[in-house]
Amino acid sequence: MYKVLHFIKRKPHLTHAQFKAHFERSHAAMALKFCGHLFADYRRNYVDTAWFGGDSRVAGSGYAQQDWTWDLISEWILPSEEALQEIYRIMQEPDKDHLFRADEDRFIDRTATVTVICDVHDVGTEFDPKGTVFDTPSGEPHWDD
């Protein structure tokens, strides 16, 4: 699997709720209409709260709920990098490019967008100690540092 994360920020004239409503009604709908056949999965994670700024284990370190830059983490789960390139090709076709650009200009702060390509390592939810720090005769963890 191949994953692309898009960290997306709303324009300041919109509330988080307005941004979310527009994204679902318009932008996600366009992505699915034109490129949905290329997605293994397409998730939109709307950020309501974020905790950061220090060590969560240390009182007074600054770790707290704070305002965060992005309103949405959009996940494109794709079968391959080739699928991503095909999505980009489709989105840049003249009849679609102007639609995506005009829509983004309505509600996305494009200067704050961050795109991250991820190497997905899915180990599932079943624990298997083989090859982990728990792969010891006692089953207790052991680090080689």
Side-chain angles (χ1 to χ4, degrees), residues 21-123:
H22 183 91
F23 199 97
E24 290 300 315
R25 187 171 92 38
S26 182
H27 213 66
M30 286 195 306
L32 289 169
K33 177 180 173 86
F34 300 125
C35 305
H37 63 287
L38 295 165
F39 292 115
D41 201 357
Y42 175 37
R43 299 176 186 164
R44 276 92 59 210
N45 304 283
Y46 295 94
V47 179
D48 292 320
T49 57
W51 293 74
F52 60 95
D55 186 336
S56 63
R57 303 164 300 176
V58 179
S61 70
Y63 184 81
Q65 183 176 340
Q66 301 184 45
D67 290 335
W68 201 48
T69 302
W70 299 279
D71 294 277
L72 167 66
I73 303 169
S74 175
E75 291 181 70
W76 295 1
I77 295 88
L78 308 166
S80 65
E81 183 179 358
E82 291 75 26
L84 175 63
Q85 295 309 317
E86 179 64 7
I87 288 171
Y88 287 159
R89 186 195 68 72
I90 290 168
M91 289 176 141
Q92 291 173 358
E93 290 175 352
D95 64 324
K96 295 170 189 73
D97 184 62
H98 80 279
L99 293 174
F100 281 103
R101 286 177 181 263
D103 191 48
E104 289 173 358
D105 288 345
R106 287 181 182 91
F107 76 114
I108 294 174
D109 177 352
R110 294 286 301 166
T111 65
T113 298
V114 175
T115 300
V116 179
I117 308 296
C118 301
D119 176 22
V120 178
H121 183 75
D122 186 355
V123 297

Side-chain angles (χ1 to χ4, degrees), residues 121 123 127-136 141-144:
H121 183 75
V123 297
F127 175 67
D128 179 2
K130 183 122 175 91
T132 74
V133 297
F134 296 99
D135 190 1
T136 64
H142 176 65
W143 292 269
D144 293 330

